[in-house]
Amino acid sequence: MLPISSHIPVLLNEVLDGLRCDKPGVFLDCTVGCGGHTAAILEQHAENRVIGIDCDAVVLDSTRQSLAKFGSRIALYHHRFEEFEDVMKEASPKPMAGLAGILVDLGVSSVQFDDAARGFSFQHTARLDMRMDTSQPFDDSLTAYMVVNTYSAEDLARIFYEYGEERHSRRIARMIVAARTQASIETTTDLADMIFQAIPRRFHPKTIHPATRVFQAIRIEVNQELRQLGDTLERAVHYVQPGGRICVIAFHSLEDRIVKRTFAKLAKGCQCPPNFPQCVCGKLPLVTVISRKPIMAAIEEQQHNPRSRSAKLRIAEKLA
Ligand code: SAH
C-alpha cells in the first residue's frame, strides 16, 4: 500500500471554516486524493457525508481503506471531476436539498509526486509518464513521453510558455526536437539534464531547478488540467444549496486566474456587453465572492508543509 499519510492537506482549517462543515450536510470533494480534507470534514459533524472523486485509481484504493471507518458516510468514485454530473447521478442517497459545499484541491498529491515510478519528479530517474490516471495502458495514453517525443517544436514551446511561464521555451523546445532525432528521450533525468543544458547558466533560477517550470507545463498538458476548470465550476454551482460554499485551492497562477474569473463571472450574473443600455441576457448573480483576495498558508504551515507555499484558496457562497 502507498504511504498515504505522507500527504499533508493544505489550508485545512481555512477549508473547514470556509465550507462551514460544522453544520451537517453533504459535501462534494472533487479531488479526494489521500482523503486528508475529506476525513476532517467528516470529523467536523457526525452527520456529514462526503461524495469523493479522484482520477487516480491507485491512490483512491488506499484512501478507500483509510476512510473505511466512516462507513456509508463516504462514497468514493474514480472519475475526472469534470464529469461530476455522472457521479451525482450515481451517488445515493442523493443530497435532496443540494450540496452543502464543494472542495476542489487541484494539482498532484505528495503521494503521487514522491512515487518515483510516476515520473512527476526530476529527482528520480523514471519513465516519462506524469499521468494522474494510470488506469489505461501507457502506450494508449497521453503521457509525458508522448508529449516530449512527438509534439512539434511550436507546440512544445507554446506549452512551456503558457503552462510553465518559461522564458526560454523556444530554446528548450528546439533542443528537445534536435535531441530526439538521434534517439527518443526516455527518462525524467534525461529531460531534466537537457533543460539544464538548454538554459544558459546565468538565467538558471536561484530557488528552483531549471527544469521545474517545464515539468509543470508537461504535467498540465498530460492531465489536461486547465481545460475545463472554469466550465466545471460554472456547472457545479447549480448543485450547491443556497448559503453553501465552494472552495477551490489552486497551485499556480494560471489555475488561480481561472478560479478568480469564474467566481467573478458567477457573482456578476449579467453577461451583456458593457455598452448595452439594459440587460438582455437575464442572467442573475449566482454567488457572492467571500474571499476578495486569495487565502494563503500562514508562515508556520509553509514551513512544515512546502506544498502549501504556492497554495491559493478562493471561496464563493451560493446565493438564495
Ligand atoms: N485534498 C487531498 C489532496 C488532493 S491532491 C487530500 O487532502 O488528501 C490532488 C488530487 O486531485 C490528486 O489525487 C489528483 O489525482 C486529483 N486530481 C487532479 N486532477 C483531477 C481531475 N481532473 N479529476 C479528478 N481528480 C483529479
Side-chain angles (χ1 to χ4, degrees), residues 173-197:
R174 274 200 307 271
M175 194 128 165
I176 288 173
V177 171
R180 75 189 191 202
T181 56
Q182 309 296 318
S184 54
I185 302 161
E186 296 287 336
T187 69
T188 47
T189 35
D190 284 350
L191 179 62
D193 292 346
M194 205 174 284
I195 299 164
F196 191 94
Q197 304 294 336

PDB file of all heavy atoms in Angstrom, residues 173-197:
ATOM      1  N   ALA A 173      12.496  23.918 -26.457  1.00  0.00           N
ATOM      2  CA  ALA A 173      11.740  23.120 -27.430  1.00  0.00           C
ATOM      3  C   ALA A 173      12.637  22.701 -28.593  1.00  0.00           C
ATOM      4  O   ALA A 173      12.640  21.543 -29.015  1.00  0.00           O
ATOM      5  CB  ALA A 173      10.531  23.914 -27.929  1.00  0.00           C
ATOM      6  N   ARG A 174      13.435  23.655 -29.074  1.00  0.00           N
ATOM      7  CA  ARG A 174      14.344  23.346 -30.206  1.00  0.00           C
ATOM      8  C   ARG A 174      15.337  22.259 -29.805  1.00  0.00           C
ATOM      9  O   ARG A 174      15.620  21.337 -30.568  1.00  0.00           O
ATOM     10  CB  ARG A 174      15.110  24.612 -30.617  1.00  0.00           C
ATOM     11  CG  ARG A 174      14.363  25.491 -31.612  1.00  0.00           C
ATOM     12  CD  ARG A 174      15.328  26.439 -32.340  1.00  0.00           C
ATOM     13  NE  ARG A 174      16.156  27.226 -31.445  1.00  0.00           N
ATOM     14  CZ  ARG A 174      15.815  28.419 -30.946  1.00  0.00           C
ATOM     15  NH1 ARG A 174      14.649  28.954 -31.270  1.00  0.00           N
ATOM     16  NH2 ARG A 174      16.623  29.087 -30.139  1.00  0.00           N
ATOM     17  N   MET A 175      15.852  22.370 -28.598  1.00  0.00           N
ATOM     18  CA  MET A 175      16.856  21.398 -28.131  1.00  0.00           C
ATOM     19  C   MET A 175      16.243  20.000 -28.018  1.00  0.00           C
ATOM     20  O   MET A 175      16.878  19.008 -28.390  1.00  0.00           O
ATOM     21  CB  MET A 175      17.366  21.860 -26.763  1.00  0.00           C
ATOM     22  CG  MET A 175      18.602  21.171 -26.333  1.00  0.00           C
ATOM     23  SD  MET A 175      19.802  22.437 -25.869  1.00  0.00           S
ATOM     24  CE  MET A 175      20.989  21.470 -24.980  1.00  0.00           C
ATOM     25  N   ILE A 176      15.021  19.943 -27.546  1.00  0.00           N
ATOM     26  CA  ILE A 176      14.354  18.639 -27.407  1.00  0.00           C
ATOM     27  C   ILE A 176      14.156  18.011 -28.790  1.00  0.00           C
ATOM     28  O   ILE A 176      14.465  16.833 -29.013  1.00  0.00           O
ATOM     29  CB  ILE A 176      12.987  18.807 -26.672  1.00  0.00           C
ATOM     30  CG1 ILE A 176      13.231  19.117 -25.194  1.00  0.00           C
ATOM     31  CG2 ILE A 176      12.108  17.571 -26.853  1.00  0.00           C
ATOM     32  CD1 ILE A 176      11.987  19.460 -24.395  1.00  0.00           C
ATOM     33  N   VAL A 177      13.669  18.828 -29.728  1.00  0.00           N
ATOM     34  CA  VAL A 177      13.394  18.296 -31.074  1.00  0.00           C
ATOM     35  C   VAL A 177      14.696  17.841 -31.744  1.00  0.00           C
ATOM     36  O   VAL A 177      14.738  16.795 -32.397  1.00  0.00           O
ATOM     37  CB  VAL A 177      12.614  19.343 -31.920  1.00  0.00           C
ATOM     38  CG1 VAL A 177      12.511  18.920 -33.373  1.00  0.00           C
ATOM     39  CG2 VAL A 177      11.223  19.555 -31.320  1.00  0.00           C
ATOM     40  N   ALA A 178      15.776  18.603 -31.540  1.00  0.00           N
ATOM     41  CA  ALA A 178      17.069  18.209 -32.133  1.00  0.00           C
ATOM     42  C   ALA A 178      17.559  16.903 -31.497  1.00  0.00           C
ATOM     43  O   ALA A 178      18.002  15.987 -32.198  1.00  0.00           O
ATOM     44  CB  ALA A 178      18.098  19.322 -31.922  1.00  0.00           C
ATOM     45  N   ALA A 179      17.429  16.795 -30.196  1.00  0.00           N
ATOM     46  CA  ALA A 179      17.945  15.608 -29.497  1.00  0.00           C
ATOM     47  C   ALA A 179      17.189  14.352 -29.905  1.00  0.00           C
ATOM     48  O   ALA A 179      17.779  13.282 -30.075  1.00  0.00           O
ATOM     49  CB  ALA A 179      17.845  15.812 -27.987  1.00  0.00           C
ATOM     50  N   ARG A 180      15.904  14.480 -30.095  1.00  0.00           N
ATOM     51  CA  ARG A 180      15.132  13.254 -30.350  1.00  0.00           C
ATOM     52  C   ARG A 180      15.286  12.748 -31.793  1.00  0.00           C
ATOM     53  O   ARG A 180      14.831  11.650 -32.108  1.00  0.00           O
ATOM     54  CB  ARG A 180      13.666  13.456 -29.959  1.00  0.00           C
ATOM     55  CG  ARG A 180      12.863  14.286 -30.919  1.00  0.00           C
ATOM     56  CD  ARG A 180      11.500  14.645 -30.380  1.00  0.00           C
ATOM     57  NE  ARG A 180      10.716  15.210 -31.454  1.00  0.00           N
ATOM     58  CZ  ARG A 180       9.671  16.005 -31.300  1.00  0.00           C
ATOM     59  NH1 ARG A 180       9.237  16.327 -30.098  1.00  0.00           N
ATOM     60  NH2 ARG A 180       9.016  16.457 -32.350  1.00  0.00           N
ATOM     61  N   THR A 181      15.939  13.520 -32.665  1.00  0.00           N
ATOM     62  CA  THR A 181      16.240  12.983 -34.000  1.00  0.00           C
ATOM     63  C   THR A 181      17.333  11.905 -33.883  1.00  0.00           C
ATOM     64  O   THR A 181      17.452  11.036 -34.737  1.00  0.00           O
ATOM     65  CB  THR A 181      16.705  14.086 -34.986  1.00  0.00           C
ATOM     66  OG1 THR A 181      17.820  14.732 -34.401  1.00  0.00           O
ATOM     67  CG2 THR A 181      15.604  15.083 -35.291  1.00  0.00           C
ATOM     68  N   GLN A 182      18.161  11.993 -32.833  1.00  0.00           N
ATOM     69  CA  GLN A 182      19.208  10.979 -32.596  1.00  0.00           C
ATOM     70  C   GLN A 182      18.607   9.737 -31.929  1.00  0.00           C
ATOM     71  O   GLN A 182      18.783   8.629 -32.376  1.00  0.00           O
ATOM     72  CB  GLN A 182      20.302  11.532 -31.666  1.00  0.00           C
ATOM     73  CG  GLN A 182      20.871  12.862 -32.083  1.00  0.00           C
ATOM     74  CD  GLN A 182      21.599  12.802 -33.417  1.00  0.00           C
ATOM     75  OE1 GLN A 182      22.325  11.858 -33.668  1.00  0.00           O
ATOM     76  NE2 GLN A 182      21.365  13.790 -34.270  1.00  0.00           N
ATOM     77  N   ALA A 183      17.897   9.997 -30.806  1.00  0.00           N
ATOM     78  CA  ALA A 183      17.278   8.885 -30.057  1.00  0.00           C
ATOM     79  C   ALA A 183      16.144   9.473 -29.234  1.00  0.00           C
ATOM     80  O   ALA A 183      16.223  10.633 -28.807  1.00  0.00           O
ATOM     81  CB  ALA A 183      18.314   8.253 -29.125  1.00  0.00           C
ATOM     82  N   SER A 184      15.094   8.676 -29.002  1.00  0.00           N
ATOM     83  CA  SER A 184      13.967   9.217 -28.248  1.00  0.00           C
ATOM     84  C   SER A 184      14.401   9.522 -26.800  1.00  0.00           C
ATOM     85  O   SER A 184      15.335   8.910 -26.277  1.00  0.00           O
ATOM     86  CB  SER A 184      12.784   8.251 -28.278  1.00  0.00           C
ATOM     87  OG  SER A 184      13.203   6.991 -27.842  1.00  0.00           O
ATOM     88  N   ILE A 185      13.704  10.478 -26.207  1.00  0.00           N
ATOM     89  CA  ILE A 185      14.032  10.901 -24.837  1.00  0.00           C
ATOM     90  C   ILE A 185      13.212  10.024 -23.896  1.00  0.00           C
ATOM     91  O   ILE A 185      11.984  10.030 -23.940  1.00  0.00           O
ATOM     92  CB  ILE A 185      13.716  12.407 -24.664  1.00  0.00           C
ATOM     93  CG1 ILE A 185      14.510  13.219 -25.702  1.00  0.00           C
ATOM     94  CG2 ILE A 185      14.011  12.873 -23.229  1.00  0.00           C
ATOM     95  CD1 ILE A 185      13.985  14.609 -25.942  1.00  0.00           C
ATOM     96  N   GLU A 186      13.912   9.254 -23.071  1.00  0.00           N
ATOM     97  CA  GLU A 186      13.237   8.177 -22.335  1.00  0.00           C
ATOM     98  C   GLU A 186      12.893   8.521 -20.888  1.00  0.00           C
ATOM     99  O   GLU A 186      11.874   8.101 -20.382  1.00  0.00           O
ATOM    100  CB  GLU A 186      14.127   6.914 -22.330  1.00  0.00           C
ATOM    101  CG  GLU A 186      14.378   6.309 -23.703  1.00  0.00           C
ATOM    102  CD  GLU A 186      13.179   5.596 -24.290  1.00  0.00           C
ATOM    103  OE1 GLU A 186      12.311   5.161 -23.524  1.00  0.00           O
ATOM    104  OE2 GLU A 186      13.107   5.490 -25.534  1.00  0.00           O
ATOM    105  N   THR A 187      13.785   9.230 -20.213  1.00  0.00           N
ATOM    106  CA  THR A 187      13.593   9.343 -18.753  1.00  0.00           C
ATOM    107  C   THR A 187      13.504  10.792 -18.275  1.00  0.00           C
ATOM    108  O   THR A 187      13.912  11.729 -18.966  1.00  0.00           O
ATOM    109  CB  THR A 187      14.770   8.678 -17.977  1.00  0.00           C
ATOM    110  OG1 THR A 187      15.940   9.471 -18.177  1.00  0.00           O
ATOM    111  CG2 THR A 187      15.014   7.258 -18.420  1.00  0.00           C
ATOM    112  N   THR A 188      12.973  10.910 -17.049  1.00  0.00           N
ATOM    113  CA  THR A 188      12.839  12.220 -16.404  1.00  0.00           C
ATOM    114  C   THR A 188      14.190  12.916 -16.282  1.00  0.00           C
ATOM    115  O   THR A 188      14.291  14.115 -16.552  1.00  0.00           O
ATOM    116  CB  THR A 188      12.288  12.027 -14.977  1.00  0.00           C
ATOM    117  OG1 THR A 188      13.018  10.975 -14.352  1.00  0.00           O
ATOM    118  CG2 THR A 188      10.812  11.684 -14.987  1.00  0.00           C
ATOM    119  N   THR A 189      15.205  12.164 -15.888  1.00  0.00           N
ATOM    120  CA  THR A 189      16.508  12.813 -15.679  1.00  0.00           C
ATOM    121  C   THR A 189      17.184  13.169 -17.011  1.00  0.00           C
ATOM    122  O   THR A 189      17.859  14.182 -17.092  1.00  0.00           O
ATOM    123  CB  THR A 189      17.439  11.942 -14.800  1.00  0.00           C
ATOM    124  OG1 THR A 189      17.201  10.566 -15.096  1.00  0.00           O
ATOM    125  CG2 THR A 189      17.164  12.162 -13.335  1.00  0.00           C
ATOM    126  N   ASP A 190      16.940  12.380 -18.062  1.00  0.00           N
ATOM    127  CA  ASP A 190      17.454  12.765 -19.396  1.00  0.00           C
ATOM    128  C   ASP A 190      16.874  14.119 -19.775  1.00  0.00           C
ATOM    129  O   ASP A 190      17.577  15.014 -20.249  1.00  0.00           O
ATOM    130  CB  ASP A 190      17.014  11.755 -20.471  1.00  0.00           C
ATOM    131  CG  ASP A 190      17.811  10.470 -20.405  1.00  0.00           C
ATOM    132  OD1 ASP A 190      18.812  10.445 -19.663  1.00  0.00           O
ATOM    133  OD2 ASP A 190      17.412   9.489 -21.080  1.00  0.00           O
ATOM    134  N   LEU A 191      15.559  14.264 -19.558  1.00  0.00           N
ATOM    135  CA  LEU A 191      14.881  15.510 -19.930  1.00  0.00           C
ATOM    136  C   LEU A 191      15.372  16.664 -19.058  1.00  0.00           C
ATOM    137  O   LEU A 191      15.682  17.753 -19.568  1.00  0.00           O
ATOM    138  CB  LEU A 191      13.360  15.335 -19.792  1.00  0.00           C
ATOM    139  CG  LEU A 191      12.526  16.565 -20.125  1.00  0.00           C
ATOM    140  CD1 LEU A 191      12.709  17.003 -21.574  1.00  0.00           C
ATOM    141  CD2 LEU A 191      11.037  16.313 -19.843  1.00  0.00           C
ATOM    142  N   ALA A 192      15.474  16.412 -17.757  1.00  0.00           N
ATOM    143  CA  ALA A 192      15.910  17.479 -16.841  1.00  0.00           C
ATOM    144  C   ALA A 192      17.331  17.945 -17.194  1.00  0.00           C
ATOM    145  O   ALA A 192      17.602  19.144 -17.205  1.00  0.00           O
ATOM    146  CB  ALA A 192      15.851  16.984 -15.398  1.00  0.00           C
ATOM    147  N   ASP A 193      18.211  16.986 -17.523  1.00  0.00           N
ATOM    148  CA  ASP A 193      19.592  17.368 -17.885  1.00  0.00           C
ATOM    149  C   ASP A 193      19.608  18.214 -19.149  1.00  0.00           C
ATOM    150  O   ASP A 193      20.352  19.186 -19.266  1.00  0.00           O
ATOM    151  CB  ASP A 193      20.455  16.111 -18.120  1.00  0.00           C
ATOM    152  CG  ASP A 193      20.688  15.339 -16.827  1.00  0.00           C
ATOM    153  OD1 ASP A 193      20.410  15.909 -15.756  1.00  0.00           O
ATOM    154  OD2 ASP A 193      21.118  14.167 -16.901  1.00  0.00           O
ATOM    155  N   MET A 194      18.741  17.835 -20.095  1.00  0.00           N
ATOM    156  CA  MET A 194      18.663  18.561 -21.361  1.00  0.00           C
ATOM    157  C   MET A 194      18.217  20.013 -21.123  1.00  0.00           C
ATOM    158  O   MET A 194      18.761  20.942 -21.717  1.00  0.00           O
ATOM    159  CB  MET A 194      17.633  17.829 -22.228  1.00  0.00           C
ATOM    160  CG  MET A 194      17.813  18.014 -23.691  1.00  0.00           C
ATOM    161  SD  MET A 194      16.631  16.934 -24.509  1.00  0.00           S
ATOM    162  CE  MET A 194      17.425  15.371 -24.297  1.00  0.00           C
ATOM    163  N   ILE A 195      17.236  20.184 -20.229  1.00  0.00           N
ATOM    164  CA  ILE A 195      16.736  21.539 -19.929  1.00  0.00           C
ATOM    165  C   ILE A 195      17.827  22.337 -19.209  1.00  0.00           C
ATOM    166  O   ILE A 195      18.051  23.513 -19.497  1.00  0.00           O
ATOM    167  CB  ILE A 195      15.437  21.468 -19.081  1.00  0.00           C
ATOM    168  CG1 ILE A 195      14.352  20.723 -19.856  1.00  0.00           C
ATOM    169  CG2 ILE A 195      14.968  22.866 -18.692  1.00  0.00           C
ATOM    170  CD1 ILE A 195      13.175  20.260 -19.004  1.00  0.00           C
ATOM    171  N   PHE A 196      18.530  21.652 -18.327  1.00  0.00           N
ATOM    172  CA  PHE A 196      19.634  22.284 -17.597  1.00  0.00           C
ATOM    173  C   PHE A 196      20.647  22.860 -18.598  1.00  0.00           C
ATOM    174  O   PHE A 196      21.121  23.970 -18.454  1.00  0.00           O
ATOM    175  CB  PHE A 196      20.278  21.243 -16.683  1.00  0.00           C
ATOM    176  CG  PHE A 196      21.245  21.801 -15.700  1.00  0.00           C
ATOM    177  CD1 PHE A 196      20.830  22.141 -14.418  1.00  0.00           C
ATOM    178  CD2 PHE A 196      22.580  21.986 -16.048  1.00  0.00           C
ATOM    179  CE1 PHE A 196      21.728  22.670 -13.505  1.00  0.00           C
ATOM    180  CE2 PHE A 196      23.475  22.507 -15.140  1.00  0.00           C
ATOM    181  CZ  PHE A 196      23.052  22.852 -13.862  1.00  0.00           C
ATOM    182  N   GLN A 197      20.940  22.064 -19.634  1.00  0.00           N
ATOM    183  CA  GLN A 197      21.910  22.500 -20.669  1.00  0.00           C
ATOM    184  C   GLN A 197      21.329  23.614 -21.535  1.00  0.00           C
ATOM    185  O   GLN A 197      22.053  24.521 -21.954  1.00  0.00           O
ATOM    186  CB  GLN A 197      22.271  21.331 -21.615  1.00  0.00           C
ATOM    187  CG  GLN A 197      22.812  20.084 -20.957  1.00  0.00           C
ATOM    188  CD  GLN A 197      24.166  20.330 -20.315  1.00  0.00           C
ATOM    189  OE1 GLN A 197      24.890  21.237 -20.705  1.00  0.00           O
ATOM    190  NE2 GLN A 197      24.489  19.535 -19.305  1.00  0.00           N
TER     191      GLN A 197
END
